[in-house]
Amino acid sequence: MHPIRPAFMLMAMLLGGPVAAQPSPDPVADSIVRNLTRGLRIQGQGGTPPTSETAPPVPGVDARTTAQPGQGAVSLMIVFATGSDALTPESQALVASLARALGTEPLTTVRFRIEGHTDTVGGMAMNQALSERRAKAVRDALVTRFGIDPARLETRGYGETQLLVPTPDGQGEIRNRRVQVVTLAP
């Protein structure tokens, strides 16, 4: 949340006026932050994990993940050309929102695993290598274009081993072709 927003809301409450919702400059980044802070203990909040507020779906962001229950994670529908690890222009915008999210409090001191996932089209070995290259492409963009500390990011490719939507071999499913970001530790 933007640092001005809580102060504005507090001032409005103290003055007895209505608290108008302020439009977010980047609703995608806000959605990513909500998902990545699930289960995260934030210093100064009595060790209580924040509650996940319900928000309308945001294009490119899916709260459904294959991470452990209660672990902060988000699936990003980062699109790559078929068989490629090159980010499309749409994906570059989504990675920019991810970078904005990683630069907000309380995430500035947190480490993350960037996971590459594929669908079941193609061989297992090819999908494994492709998922590793795609995770690395997102990490590299975060580091080189947005200045995210590389020590905060690790990558791992899972190929077709952790499908978000179960499908038979050889069936394309866009929701399985994703990059998942998982919260590791502050």
Side-chain angles (χ1 to χ4, degrees):
M1 184 181 307
H2 192 276
I4 294 174
R5 212 172 297 149
F8 171 78
M9 291 171 58
L10 178 61
M11 187 179 351
M13 289 187 322
L14 292 173
L15 296 175
V19 177
Q22 296 298 308
S24 172
D26 188 345
V28 174
D30 290 347
S31 178
I32 292 169
V33 169
R34 272 193 306 279
N35 286 291
L36 291 178
T37 56
R38 265 189 313 227
L40 184 64
R41 295 193 181 277
I42 301 170
Q43 193 171 18
Q45 290 189 354
T48 306
T51 58
S52 234
E53 56 188 80
T54 304
V58 176
V61 179
D62 194 333
R64 294 172 303 154
T65 70
T66 53
Q68 295 297 315
Q71 184 173 24
V74 64
S75 290
L76 302 175
M77 300 305 132
I78 295 179
V79 180
F80 297 88
T82 302
S84 168
D85 61 4
L87 293 165
T88 64
E90 299 86 12
S91 293
Q92 290 177 22
L94 193 52
V95 171
S97 290
L98 174 59
R100 280 189 284 283
L102 298 183
T104 63
E105 289 295 334
L107 297 179
T108 57
T109 60
V110 178
R111 292 182 49 250
F112 300 93
R113 182 174 54 243
I114 300 169
E115 302 176 346
H117 297 270
T118 67
D119 60 19
T120 60
V121 175
M124 286 189 79
M126 181 200 75
N127 282 336
Q128 179 63 38
L130 182 59
S131 69
E132 291 169 8
R133 289 194 321 269
R134 287 178 172 176
K136 186 178 179 321
V138 170
R139 179 192 180 278
D140 290 349
L142 289 168
V143 171
T144 61
R145 293 186 203 149
F146 302 102
I148 302 296
D149 180 0
R152 294 177 56 206
L153 307 171
E154 68 177 54
T155 61
R156 184 171 300 156
Y158 286 98
E160 59 186 74
T161 64
Q162 293 186 6
L163 301 174
L164 191 60
V165 179
T167 61
D169 283 344
Q171 181 176 331
E173 171 54 64
I174 195 165
R175 293 170 291 179
N176 288 330
R177 297 189 301 262
R178 70 195 191 283
V179 171
Q180 184 168 284
V181 181
V182 178
T183 304
L184 295 178

